[in-house]
Amino acid sequence: MNVILFGGTGMIGRGVLRECLRDDAVTGVLAVGRTPLGVSHPKLRESVQPDPTDLSALAAELPGYDACFFCLGVSSVGMKEEAYRRVTHDLTLAAARPLAAANPRLTFVYVSGEGTDSTEQGRSMWARVKGKTENDLLELPFQAYMFRPGIVQPVRGVPSKTRLYRTLYAVTGPLITLLRLIAPNLVTTTEDLGRAMIAVATPGTEHPGRILRPQDINRLGAATTRHN
């Protein structure tokens, strides 16, 4: 499959990129973003541009892609709802709509969050916005899947983009590993996220529905054959 990846410089996106480059089922990856990844691989091509949602320059080739893994996201801490909506809902739909129009057979995977509010009516601002984003994506004419990963543990050398988070992961890493053992439905890894995304984009793979939680992601990740 040919994959378009958004958010490849972030922790989750970097983990997804790693799995795509390792998997023989993925023949090519187009990474779209504002900054270069600093990664070289025969499968990888980059489109570095100020507005990653402007796909006009790529319009002619969009029908040739089989999947889009959308890993862009920001923390809602300190943000007003209007600003958070712009960079979460509006940005995501700006990329998704032309992809759906160009190829209704495309699989679109969106990294959401555990606790997302599908009713769009709850008290939590970020959960309402994520819920609206999910709902609008599910109405588009492609195969959309919402990944709600909960706690994500970076593995296989995948770093967090933020220095503070890198420090926190270094300190809490053993605790997260223990939590994965005693409460596996709360935690997933960057590796399982990437492998699960490839799985839902692979024809014939069985999965529980359009909204996948940590236990679903972990099951798909574990069931997907690793290719070095």
Side-chain angles (χ1 to χ4, degrees), residues 189-202:
T189 68
T190 50
E191 182 178 35
D192 278 338
L193 269 170
R195 289 163 60 193
M197 287 188 188
I198 295 169
V200 298
T202 302

Side-chain angles (χ1 to χ4, degrees), residues 4-82:
I4 299 177
L5 174 66
F6 288 84
T9 59
M11 183 188 78
I12 290 176
R14 185 72 69 167
V16 172
L17 174 63
R18 177 183 184 273
E19 298 310 311
C20 287
L21 297 181
R22 293 176 68 230
D23 198 303
D24 293 342
V26 178
T27 52
V29 179
L30 171 63
V32 182
R34 293 187 180 93
T35 57
L37 297 176
V39 175
S40 178
H41 193 279
K43 290 185 184 181
L44 179 64
R45 183 164 68 93
E46 293 189 63
S47 176
V48 179
Q49 53 194 54
D51 179 3
T53 66
D54 181 5
L55 302 180
S56 56
L58 304 169
E61 61 184 274
L62 294 182
Y65 286 91
D66 305 291
C68 175
F69 300 153
F70 200 91
C71 305
L72 277 177
V74 297
S75 170
S76 64
V77 176
M79 295 187 72
K80 299 290 187 181
E81 182 164 351
E82 182 180 354

